[in-house]
Amino acid sequence: MLRRYPHAGEPLTCTPLSQGLLNHGYRVSTTRGSYFLKHHLDDATRDRATIIRQHRATRRLQSLGVPVAPPIEAGDGETVTEIAGRCYALHPWVDGLHRGGAELTLAQSTRLGTLLGAVHTGLEQVMGGERSTDTGGAGGNPAGYASPEAADTFALIGDLLAAARGRGTRDSFDELAEHRLRERRVLLERHADRRPPDPGVPATGWVHGDFHPLNVLYRGADPVAILDWDRLAVQPRAEEAVRAAAIFFVQPAGALDLAKVRVYARAYRRAAGADAAELAAAVHRVWWERLNDFWILRWRYCLNDRRADPQFPAVSALAVWWTREYEAVRAAFTG
């Protein structure tokens, strides 16, 4: 791989990184420094054209002052190296730490909202007339971005309950999963008539697509790099702001730190030029999305993949808390 990058130096060590669920990453040390080597594996984003689009976007964003870590060019001027049909990219290594919302002060929470607003306005500027090639789902085309149907969720709950109950050796996770599934079914029965309308095109734009603590690096109090642009796509912009807050500011018991959400959302609205009505609609859609979402249980019971299991207690509790505190959450994002 490094032979394609004549200025990178000779390899000394290559250490796999444990973080990341969809792709593989390595810290590579050479005679000239350290680099991040990314092996693109995710089926939805590993094709060469999609990766090149990500690279082009980050290089343009860097010129606007957005903290990113664009890829390094190989000897042939390309940023994607293909070996045996697999795509790789080499990035500069950025020293820094990941910070969850509990570690952020109110001032830093404000800056986080400003940063995401700058990402959205910057993408609007640098992506020009480019279109997303995704076709629906969380990263899809606006025309196909439909809210989940409660009937489909009821069927999924039944399947997941059968899987959780049918395990030969049950543990505390299975017990919690069964409790949360039964609890969520009751909530959906109570709120099934609140399915939100599909978003209008004016509220959509290019977004990072996966803005959460593991994709933002801090050095001291300052964010120095936004990482992992694999989910770059056209989506309702304000929904990314709400989803990010629901990850950054969720507490272990499932509540959101609404004081930090409030200053974060104000800063985002100011930086992105979004109004309170746009955020209110996003809050409703993301709440409904969370109420119908069981991706962690699908990974565990359908794919036998337990890597996301540690996230389940807080994520599942958040849907219940958010339903109970719906008005307070909306006020925090719009006030």
Side-chain angles (χ1 to χ4, degrees):
M1 171 70 188
L2 286 184
R3 283 198 293 270
R4 313 286 182 95
Y5 296 83
H7 301 296
E10 295 298 318
L12 299 174
T13 62
C14 180
T15 306
L17 303 176
S18 59
Q19 293 174 329
L21 296 177
L22 299 177
N23 298 292
H24 289 171
Y26 306 86
R27 180 171 184 169
V28 177
S29 296
T30 77
T31 52
R32 294 189 178 179
S34 293
Y35 301 90
F36 171 65
L37 172 62
K38 183 167 185 175
H39 178 189
H40 289 265
L41 285 169
D42 181 31
D43 288 340
T45 60
R46 67 182 180 181
D47 65 283
R48 186 182 185 90
T50 297
I51 300 168
I52 289 174
R53 184 180 64 192
Q54 298 162 13
H55 292 173
R56 185 166 58 243
T58 55
R59 297 179 78 172
R60 292 172 178 172
L61 284 173
Q62 187 180 52
S63 70
L64 299 179
V66 177
V68 291
I72 297 168
E73 289 187 355
D76 59 3
E78 298 291 331
T79 58
V80 178
T81 295
E82 193 168 343
I83 300 175
R86 298 178 176 182
C87 290
Y88 301 83
L90 194 67
H91 298 257
W93 182 265
V94 180
D95 286 316
L97 298 173
H98 303 289
R99 297 191 185 280
E103 301 175 71
L104 301 182
T105 64
L106 287 174
Q108 290 171 325
S109 301
T110 299
R111 183 164 185 186
L112 183 68
T114 300
L115 177 63
L116 183 57
V119 168
H120 289 176
T121 57
L123 285 172
E124 183 177 11
Q125 180 176 340
V126 305
M127 295 304 288
E130 291 196 42
R131 291 186 175 185
S132 172
T133 56
D134 297 325
T135 55
N141 188 301
Y145 194 75
S147 296
E149 296 281 358
D152 295 333
T153 306
F154 286 133
L156 176 60
I157 288 174
D159 293 341
L160 292 173
L161 274 172
R165 291 167 175 165
R167 297 180 66 84
T169 304
R170 287 165 57 83
D171 57 22
S172 59
F173 186 101
D174 299 311
E175 298 289 343
L176 177 62
E178 182 177 348
H179 167 71
R180 290 303 190 192
L181 285 163
R182 288 189 282 106
E183 180 181 51
R184 196 77 64 82
R185 184 164 56 189
V186 172
L187 286 176
L188 271 173
E189 289 170 350
R190 189 178 303 156
H191 298 284
D193 62 340
R194 297 179 65 188
R195 179 182 179 272
D198 296 339
V201 172
T204 63
W206 284 95
V207 300
H208 176 274
D210 203 18
F211 196 81
H212 59 68
L214 291 181
N215 286 336
V216 181
L217 275 179
Y218 281 81
R219 191 174 302 140
D222 300 320
V224 292
I226 303 169
L227 312 173
D228 193 359
W229 292 78
D230 290 354
R231 298 297 178 181
L232 175 71
V234 172
Q235 294 181 18
R237 294 179 298 252
E239 289 180 31
E240 172 155 86
V242 175
R243 287 192 193 94
I247 301 173
F248 269 96
F249 302 117
V250 66
Q251 298 169 328
L256 293 177
D257 186 330
L258 294 184
K260 292 180 180 178
V261 168
R262 186 171 293 105
V263 297
Y264 157 91
R266 285 176 181 168
Y268 171 78
R269 296 201 315 268
R270 186 164 50 248
D275 60 22
E278 185 177 344
L279 266 293
V283 167
H284 189 65
R285 283 179 54 82
V286 177
W287 162 75
W288 179 259
E289 176 185 278
R290 291 290 182 269
L291 202 59
N292 286 266
D293 185 39
F294 297 97
W295 73 271
I296 298 174
L297 297 187
R298 294 178 72 168
W299 276 33
R300 178 183 174 93
Y301 295 122
C302 301
L303 304 177
N304 198 29
D305 187 335
R306 300 190 177 192
R307 288 176 295 167
D309 282 7
Q311 301 179 41
F312 182 70
V315 168
S316 59
L318 174 60
V320 180
W321 178 88
W322 193 337
T323 302
R324 186 175 66 246
E325 303 293 338
Y326 180 89
E327 296 299 333
V329 174
R330 184 173 65 177
F333 278 100
T334 60

